[in-house]
Amino acid sequence: MRQTMLRLTALLVCAMALTGAYYHTRSSTVMAGAAHNFLASLSEQQRAQATFPMDSEERSNWHYIPRVRKGLPLREMDSAQQKLAHAFLAAGLSQRGYMKAEDIMSLEAILKALEGGKGPQRDPDGYFFTVFGEPSESAAWGWRVEGHHLSLNFTIAKGKMVASSPTFFGDNPAEIKDGPRRGLRVLAREEDLGRELLTSLDAKQKSVAVLDATAPKDILTAAARKVDPENPKGLAASKMNKKQNEILMSLLEEYANNMPEDLASARMEAVHKAGTDKIYFSWEGGPDRGQGHYYRVQGPTFLIEYDNTQNNANHIHSVWRDYNGDFGRDLLAEHYQQYHQTRNAD
């Protein structure tokens, strides 16, 4: 009996310790620690290249195409610095999200082989790390990892609040057709769940949800620095049955769960708080795999766009935008308002 009680006590102590570790290891804390480790490994010249003021216009200068970027790319880091950079990247993502990001980077080598050196420069190490402001447990700061088909933007305020949009994941090829990695589909669930929702609709629902037989050539918001809510189009979740709503929520969770658990939960909590019945789903293009297609999921606070039309519908672009939260606009407004109130009180 005494041994049983000792075991239970030990288990309780372990559980309490783990719980404490979980609550104290917030994403913002992990990000700040990873940022400090990464920056500390850089030379003075590298640090100057990787850092910008928090109020820099560069912070909202984002894109997902091959182009000249600011920041420090992986190719200009030594192996130890690259490891710390990847640890930094992992701090902003779930395990699932990190695996997607790594696979997206690795597709550059596949593209280079497919294109035979023609077209844009393809480089798995052509992903740039940028820190805005000074990583801190109290001040506002931000960071970005960006390259072809990947743009991850984070803003941290008061050392505990994190904004994580715009969040862009893309892949080309969407499905590898040949070679040792044949069959790899990095964004498979984003495609499959969208199509599953479409095919679950009856004829009347489809007449509302399907806006056009031809899909646009890209996501409509492209790399806009700010996205404003539009009148929602398509089929409202309130007009879907229970099973269809479950598929819709699974689709949203697939996007949200690219983030660490606490950030994913915050995203979904905001979705539910704004009202899931106010979410709209629309589709453009063909219903079958291999046909160009596009879908849009729009709620009161967020927008998801997904497009797969280029390269014979084997090239995906997908993005999550927050109307007030992109680049932490809502968090920073609250942070600076409280900061000025405190200063004035002094």
Side-chain angles (χ1 to χ4, degrees):
M1 181 71 176
R2 184 171 179 272
Q3 287 182 337
T4 301
M5 290 298 294
L6 287 172
R7 288 196 192 97
L8 288 173
T9 301
L11 287 172
L12 180 60
V13 170
C14 288
M16 290 173 67
L18 288 171
T19 302
Y22 173 81
Y23 283 113
H24 285 91
T25 311
R26 303 183 309 268
S27 286
S28 57
T29 302
V30 175
M31 289 178 188
H36 281 298
N37 290 340
F38 170 65
L39 292 173
S41 75
L42 304 182
S43 68
E44 185 176 339
Q45 181 180 347
Q46 287 175 314
R47 187 179 178 112
Q49 188 174 338
T51 56
F52 287 81
M54 183 58 181
D55 60 358
S56 170
E57 282 291 315
E58 178 61 26
R59 204 166 68 85
S60 58
N61 180 25
W62 77 286
H63 219 304
Y64 48 86
I65 62 173
R67 69 168 187 170
V68 176
R69 287 179 161 84
K70 294 183 179 180
L72 185 66
L74 287 165
R75 61 172 170 261
E76 294 181 16
M77 305 177 198
D78 62 31
S79 60
Q81 292 168 337
Q82 287 183 353
K83 287 183 175 65
L84 291 170
H86 274 277
F88 192 8
L89 171 61
L93 297 169
S94 64
Q95 183 179 19
R96 178 191 303 184
Y98 178 68
M99 290 174 63
K100 288 180 183 179
E102 282 226 299
D103 281 338
I104 287 166
M105 293 177 180
S106 74
L107 288 178
E108 292 297 282
I110 301 290
L111 274 181
K112 185 174 183 178
L114 288 173
E115 295 171 347
K118 299 177 182 178
Q121 181 183 359
R122 306 300 186 184
D123 184 2
D125 288 333
Y127 289 83
F128 291 67
F129 287 70
T130 315
V131 177
F132 301 94
E134 185 66 30
S136 167
E137 285 293 302
S138 56
W141 67 285
W143 60 287
R144 178 177 71 208
V145 178
E146 186 175 275
H148 183 217
H149 280 161
L150 186 69
S151 184
L152 306 171
N153 299 273
F154 299 92
T155 307
I156 299 90
K158 296 193 290 188
K160 61 182 179 180
M161 301 187 300
V162 181
S164 56
S165 61
T167 307
F168 183 97
F169 286 88
D171 62 350
N172 178 23
E175 179 179 1
I176 298 176
K177 303 291 187 179
D178 298 294
R181 302 179 73 188
R182 179 178 178 179
L184 175 66
R185 299 171 62 213
V186 178
L187 302 178
R189 283 181 59 81
E190 286 85 344
E191 177 174 351
D192 294 346
L193 285 168
R195 184 174 291 106
E196 183 181 355
L197 180 53
L198 175 72
T199 56
S200 75
L201 305 179
D202 61 31
K204 184 177 180 181
Q205 289 173 314
K206 283 182 180 177
S207 69
V208 178
V210 179
L211 304 182
D212 199 310
T214 302
K217 294 181 179 180
D218 199 355
I219 57 173
L220 300 180
T221 54
R225 297 191 179 193
K226 190 176 191 313
V227 175
D228 294 316
E230 297 179 2
N231 291 330
K233 298 177 182 178
L235 182 68
S238 60
K239 303 297 183 181
M240 299 180 190
N241 62 35
K242 181 180 178 182
K243 179 62 176 177
Q244 291 163 347
N245 268 284
E246 289 174 353
I247 299 170
L248 177 62
M249 287 300 107
S250 294
L251 180 59
L252 291 179
E253 288 167 359
E254 184 62 30
Y255 283 86
N257 288 339
N258 289 323
M259 299 294 112
E261 184 178 356
D262 56 342
L263 301 189
S265 296
R267 274 190 174 185
M268 293 307 298
E269 182 181 347
V271 167
H272 284 280
K273 186 176 180 180
T276 56
D277 58 325
K278 299 172 185 175
I279 297 172
Y280 285 74
F281 171 78
S282 64
W283 182 278
E284 299 179 42
D288 300 323
R289 279 193 65 186
Q291 296 179 315
H293 58 285
Y294 164 95
Y295 67 73
R296 179 185 184 100
V297 183
Q298 180 176 347
T301 61
F302 75 95
L303 171 68
I304 290 173
E305 281 195 281
Y306 162 104
D307 185 86
N308 186 353
T309 56
Q310 301 175 44
N311 300 95
N312 298 315
N314 196 30
H315 181 155
I316 293 173
H317 290 173
S318 71
V319 71
W320 177 299
R321 305 295 303 258
D322 286 308
Y323 293 126
N324 295 320
D326 277 355
F327 303 108
R329 290 187 182 94
D330 53 347
L331 298 187
L332 292 177
E334 179 183 342
H335 173 75
Y336 290 132
Q337 182 181 20
Q338 291 184 3
Y339 172 79
H340 287 301
Q341 286 177 344
T342 303
R343 296 275 293 188
N344 291 335
D346 294 341

